[in-house]
Amino acid sequence: MRAPVSQPRILSPDQVNGWFALLFTHATVTGRIDTVLMDQHKISFSTVEILCWLLEAEPQSVRGLSGKLVSVSPTRASRLVQQLIDAGHLQRGADQGDGRVSLISFTKSGRRFAETVRRTFEDSVKKYFVDPLDDDDIAALTRIWAKLENAEGPA
């Protein structure tokens, strides 16, 4: 992977290469995982993220769920949830405390489907992310993420 040829004014060449390495790595690893998920289950990486969050806690509102998602915008999350409902994996129900809010949960077959997909997802993460790295690499990435997560954001 090579960064674009440019003459950065603020960043060093190593900093530019580091930035593009991060972007390339993200695209490559998620692309590989997405391919496996599409081949085996006909669903995208983004859809799997929705299923995994629902496996953690259900029922959830689409709005609450979309606030947790990393790879999906709230608008796209609504469309993906509707596709999962249309496929018979999820169902909508009313929130007993607030009738204006609909909650989504698994159907019985949808829960089995999600658990199967989660196994495929975890196997893929292991193959394309964990296995090529050693424990020191994983620890370094975790430290780096914590620094970036805690960096000052827009005012």
Side-chain angles (χ1 to χ4, degrees), residues 26-153:
H26 174 268
T28 301
V29 172
T30 56
R32 288 172 180 166
I33 294 169
D34 198 52
T35 298
V36 170
L37 294 167
M38 283 301 242
D39 288 349
Q40 291 189 21
H41 304 291
K42 307 296 184 244
I43 61 173
S44 68
F45 183 89
S46 300
T47 303
V48 172
E49 187 179 5
I50 290 169
L51 295 175
C52 287
W53 276 111
L54 277 173
L55 284 169
E56 293 296 316
E58 66 171 315
Q60 291 189 48
S61 69
V62 175
R63 174 177 276 172
L65 179 63
S66 67
K68 299 174 186 175
L69 302 173
V70 175
S71 67
V72 187
S73 70
T75 303
R76 184 145 189 263
S78 293
R79 286 194 304 267
L80 293 173
V81 165
Q82 188 57 53
Q83 289 173 3
L84 289 164
I85 291 169
D86 294 345
H89 301 306
L90 300 180
Q91 58 193 357
R92 285 190 197 276
D95 182 339
Q96 298 303 316
D98 185 347
R100 299 169 295 171
V101 176
S102 72
L103 300 174
I104 53 172
S105 60
F106 287 108
T107 61
K108 191 177 285 191
S109 64
R111 176 170 288 287
R112 285 191 304 274
F113 174 73
E115 289 169 351
T116 300
V117 167
R118 178 171 56 185
R119 280 190 297 280
T120 301
F121 174 70
E122 289 178 2
D123 288 343
S124 296
V125 169
K126 184 171 183 335
K127 179 177 181 179
Y128 297 117
F129 177 72
V130 175
D131 287 350
L133 304 173
D134 61 29
D135 291 343
D136 290 339
D137 294 332
I138 299 289
L141 287 170
T142 302
R143 276 193 318 279
I144 291 165
W145 168 241
K147 288 179 181 180
L148 294 174
E149 183 180 31
N150 292 318
E152 188 174 320

